[in-house]
Amino acid sequence: MSLPDLIVRPRRLRSNATIRRMVRETTLSVNDFIYPIFVDETIDAPRQVASMPGVSRIPLSMVGEVVKEVASLGIPGVILFGIPAVKDEIGSGGWDSEGIVQKAIRAAKAASPETCVIADSCFCEYTSHGHCGVLHGEDVDNDETLLNLQKEAVSYAEAGVDIVAPSGMMDGMIAAIRLGLDEAGFENVPIMSYAVKFASGYFGPFRDAADSTPTFGDRASYQMDPGNRREALKEAWLDVEEGADMLMVKPGLAYMDIIREVKDATNLPMAVYNVSGEYAMVKAAAEKGWIDEKRVVLETMLSFKRAGADLILSYHALDVARWLNEDKR
């Protein structure tokens, strides 16, 4: 028996590590990452998040130290989440000029002025009921919540934030925040919109980290149905039209197709949030010895980039930066 005449042999360009590196289509850099930080007003020492090995809530006094570590690794940005000492029905701590995130913004910028400080803009950490806005009965009132989002975004800008990142999936949130920032004289503060955020089971560990579990029901009336693709494009385009400067898809792993479609359909920088459940699954499997953590994490991050992400928000960011820096050496 004879073989066909193999003129095209793709393996030629896989024959050694140097050639593979030369023709690699997608690469990772520390510049691709944003590191999430949970700042807790009620503690004075780090508190491990049980469902997220390697992640802790930190006190305000440690923000500068953590941000300096992030900067030393070459990671360009952090995103802040606050756990306040006092919560109320409307989440008014979100726009308190002396609130935990406002203080953390100032501490981060003082410690590392060149680090890009992003503030997640929502109310689930600030409301006593754990939902993302003002309640009427058991329903989040969209338009009343928009007014509060304006106040929160302006308060963050006054504290010195570099980027505001609204995550509550309220209709019209980008237009409202843009108007609020512009009227307050912060027309140069960008908005990174959680434009496509699905009602996901992958968020579970985050709610431990941010103390934001709803006291009743779920968030399916404002976060997106996981089965919807066309609606994701609709949400993204609405935010583009309302003045978003960056878009985000959240979660990441189960929504690679959405990342690619939104990237191809729009012309804005694209972020993806590698969420807490995705992180926890990798950590749990690695602790069992079932996977090679470094290899799986780097492969996952590369897949986000290949799908179209320009920026990756990830709890793995510190480890990834160390691995990438070691590989350079």
Side-chain angles (χ1 to χ4, degrees), residues 79 81 120 124 167 169 193-200 202-203 206 223-224 247-255 258-259 270-276 278 313 315:
I79 184 165
F81 298 88
D120 177 83
C124 57
S167 62
M169 290 298 287
S193 175
Y194 289 67
V196 183
K197 183 178 179 182
F198 290 90
S200 174
Y202 286 97
F203 296 154
F206 174 90
Q223 295 176 359
M224 279 189 54
L247 302 177
M248 189 192 303
V249 173
K250 180 180 180 181
L253 275 177
Y255 300 94
I258 304 299
I259 298 168
M270 170 64 61
V272 61
Y273 205 130
N274 174 215
V275 300
S276 59
E278 298 166 1
L313 289 72
Y315 308 101

Side-chain angles (χ1 to χ4, degrees), residues 89 127-141 207 212-222:
E89 285 292 304
T127 55
S128 52
H129 45 74
H131 280 280
C132 298
V134 178
L135 289 183
H136 283 175
E138 293 192 352
D139 184 53
V140 174
D141 186 294
R207 292 168 185 172
S212 62
T213 303
T215 57
F216 66 89
D218 56 30
R219 298 182 177 128
S221 69
Y222 41 104

Side-chain angles (χ1 to χ4, degrees), residues 205-270:
F206 174 90
R207 292 168 185 172
D208 291 339
D211 191 23
S212 62
T213 303
T215 57
F216 66 89
D218 56 30
R219 298 182 177 128
S221 69
Y222 41 104
Q223 295 176 359
M224 279 189 54
D225 186 322
N228 291 0
R229 179 184 61 82
R230 294 192 303 273
E231 187 184 12
L233 296 174
K234 176 182 178 180
E235 289 279 8
W237 270 114
L238 281 170
D239 285 3
V240 172
E241 292 167 0
E242 290 177 16
D245 300 285
M246 301 172 169
L247 302 177
M248 189 192 303
V249 173
K250 180 180 180 181
L253 275 177
Y255 300 94
M256 295 287 192
D257 59 325
I258 304 299
I259 298 168
R260 171 46 60 190
E261 291 214 41
V262 173
K263 176 70 170 184
D264 288 346
T266 63
N267 60 359
L268 297 184
M270 170 64 61

Side-chain angles (χ1 to χ4, degrees), residues 37-323:
I37 299 175
F38 298 99
V39 189
D40 188 338
E41 194 171 27
T42 70
I43 61 176
D44 54 17
R47 183 174 297 172
Q48 170 75 42
V49 179
S51 55
M52 299 175 68
V55 173
S56 297
R57 297 184 191 182
I58 63 167
L60 180 64
S61 61
M62 285 186 62
V63 168
E65 175 187 337
V66 172
V67 172
K68 284 180 180 178
E69 179 184 12
V70 170
S72 73
L73 291 168
I75 297 169
V78 298
I79 184 165
L80 300 174
F81 298 88
I83 298 94
V86 178
K87 303 186 180 194
D88 61 27
E89 285 292 304
I90 62 173
S92 62
W95 62 85
D96 183 346
S97 62
E98 293 302 312
I100 185 59
V101 169
Q102 288 81 353
K103 290 179 179 178
I105 291 166
R106 293 192 285 266
K109 294 305 293 184
S112 180
E114 73 281 3
T115 295
C116 181
V117 176
I118 305 164
D120 177 83
S121 302
C122 192
F123 292 105
C124 57
E125 300 106 314
Y126 297 96
T127 55
S128 52
H129 45 74
H131 280 280
C132 298
V134 178
L135 289 183
H136 283 175
E138 293 192 352
D139 184 53
V140 174
D141 186 294
N142 191 91
D143 296 0
E144 281 195 44
T145 300
L146 293 184
L147 295 173
N148 291 344
L149 278 170
Q150 287 180 317
K151 292 185 283 189
E152 184 178 51
V154 169
S155 179
Y156 290 162
E158 289 172 342
V161 82
D162 293 298
I163 297 175
V164 172
S167 62
M169 290 298 287
M170 296 295 113
D171 293 343
M173 66 181 184
I174 302 306
I177 290 172
R178 185 72 273 157
L179 179 62
L181 288 170
D182 291 356
E183 287 184 342
F186 296 107
E187 60 275 359
N188 291 324
V189 173
I191 300 173
M192 173 191 285
S193 175
Y194 289 67
V196 183
K197 183 178 179 182
F198 290 90
S200 174
Y202 286 97
F203 296 154
F206 174 90
R207 292 168 185 172
D208 291 339
D211 191 23
S212 62
T213 303
T215 57
F216 66 89
D218 56 30
R219 298 182 177 128
S221 69
Y222 41 104
Q223 295 176 359
M224 279 189 54
D225 186 322
N228 291 0
R229 179 184 61 82
R230 294 192 303 273
E231 187 184 12
L233 296 174
K234 176 182 178 180
E235 289 279 8
W237 270 114
L238 281 170
D239 285 3
V240 172
E241 292 167 0
E242 290 177 16
D245 300 285
M246 301 172 169
L247 302 177
M248 189 192 303
V249 173
K250 180 180 180 181
L253 275 177
Y255 300 94
M256 295 287 192
D257 59 325
I258 304 299
I259 298 168
R260 171 46 60 190
E261 291 214 41
V262 173
K263 176 70 170 184
D264 288 346
T266 63
N267 60 359
L268 297 184
M270 170 64 61
V272 61
Y273 205 130
N274 174 215
V275 300
S276 59
E278 298 166 1
Y279 173 87
M281 289 191 301
V282 170
K283 283 292 188 179
E287 286 182 356
K288 290 284 190 180
W290 293 341
I291 61 170
D292 179 330
E293 181 178 354
K294 177 180 176 181
R295 183 173 180 179
V296 168
V297 170
L298 291 177
E299 184 177 342
T300 301
M301 300 303 122
L302 197 64
S303 71
F304 291 141
K305 288 291 298 294
R306 192 184 63 248
D310 300 297
L311 296 167
I312 303 168
L313 289 72
S314 179
Y315 308 101
H316 293 292
L318 299 184
D319 285 336
V320 171
R322 293 186 187 104
W323 294 329

